[in-house]
Amino acid sequence: SYVLTQPPSVSVAPGKTARITCGGNNIGSKSVHWYQQKSGQVPVVVVYYDSDRPSGIPERFSGSNSGNTATLTISRVEAEDEADYYCQVWDSNSGVVFGGGTKLTVL
Amino acid sequence: QVQLQQSGPGLVKPSETLSLTCTVSGGSIGSYYWSWIRQPPGKGLEWIGYIYYSGSTTYNPSLKRRVTLSVDTSKNQLSLKLNSVTAADTAMYYCARGTYYGDTDSWGQGTLVAVSS
């Protein structure tokens, strides 16, 4: 089965840049979607198809994907960005696969 | 604006079948892939499977032998059945609208299902 690996936690000071990685075998050949889940809420897509942003998502959220690592970058981090973030891909053998999630803490 | 309203029991006994329904309003079921996703308390997201409006299904290999997804286009309803449940199936269960590649744009409110005698 296809496995996506995320760091359990990332911490960042307000106004700085947070980078959350998602590792997978040749993930660069797949489309990666990123979800934000705030405490007690339903997940929301913040980046899809590697680097596209749904309407309503701030430009501070961006994504990249190459080789064995996809990255979600959050610029000028704000307190409201504190949440769990999940990467997700589709794999021909496993179907839809989620990473284990990364808890972003804004210091 | 599409809305997904979930319904079903919040408590299921071990070895029995978990059954949930997701009713879609404000939009058609057609041309979308409808996923079921679960999240055990304090843990991450796990995809259960999805169903296309035509009835074609794809399941998570780890759950495939216990899961059945169905769609009733006349009622704009989706259904999840998970049989032979154990405590490990205790989770928040979500339905979601999306594409073949799993990205989603609308989610139900979630149903917390506990498996306990």
Side-chain angles (χ1 to χ4, degrees):
Chain A
S1 62
Y2 193 80
V3 176
L4 294 174
T5 301
Q6 297 183 236
S9 62
V10 168
S11 298
V12 63
K16 300 298 186 183
T17 297
R19 293 180 178 84
I20 298 173
T21 58
C22 176
N25 184 33
N26 198 24
I27 194 173
S29 67
K30 302 179 182 299
S31 293
V32 180
H33 315 298
W34 289 93
Y35 292 81
Q36 175 194 66
Q37 185 180 31
K38 296 182 178 180
S39 180
Q41 297 186 18
V42 170
V44 173
V45 172
V46 291
V47 168
Y48 63 116
Y49 294 99
D50 295 342
S51 58
D52 291 337
R53 261 189 327 276
S55 60
I57 300 301
E59 291 183 5
R60 301 184 294 103
F61 288 83
S62 63
S64 62
N65 184 19
S66 178
N68 292 318
T69 305
T71 303
L72 173 69
T73 301
I74 310 172
S75 304
R76 302 179 300 282
V77 167
E78 301 178 0
E80 68 176 23
D81 299 331
E82 188 161 285
D84 294 325
Y85 291 85
Y86 297 90
C87 57
Q88 178 249 304
V89 301
W90 182 87
D91 176 74
S92 58
N93 293 318
S94 304
V96 174
V97 180
F98 287 97
T102 298
K103 181 178 181 59
L104 177 68
T105 299
V106 181
L107 300 171
Chain B
Q1 178 96 7
V2 68
Q3 291 189 329
L4 284 65
Q5 182 66 40
Q6 298 179 220
S7 58
L11 181 64
V12 181
K13 290 182 169 54
S15 80
E16 296 191 346
T17 297
L18 179 160
S19 296
L20 296 175
T21 298
C22 177
T23 302
V24 179
S25 60
S28 171
I29 277 187
S31 301
Y32 289 99
Y33 285 80
W34 300 89
S35 280
W36 288 90
I37 295 158
R38 69 181 183 178
Q39 185 172 33
K43 297 188 177 181
L45 302 170
E46 180 181 31
W47 178 74
I48 298 169
Y50 61 32
I51 185 165
Y52 193 48
Y53 77 100
S54 63
S56 173
T57 54
T58 304
Y59 297 121
N60 183 327
S62 69
L63 297 170
K64 184 175 182 177
R65 62 181 179 83
R66 297 196 293 131
V67 174
T68 302
L69 301 183
S70 59
V71 59
D72 186 335
T73 53
S74 66
K75 296 181 180 179
N76 262 20
Q77 279 185 345
L78 309 149
S79 295
L80 161 69
K81 291 189 185 299
L82 179 66
N83 58 39
S84 305
V85 298
T86 69
D89 294 310
T90 293
M92 183 73 81
Y93 286 76
Y94 297 100
C95 59
R97 185 181 80 168
T99 75
Y100 178 82
Y101 295 103
D103 56 301
T104 57
D105 63 1
S106 298
W107 290 56
Q109 80 277 19
T111 301
L112 181 60
V113 179
V115 177
S116 175
S117 55

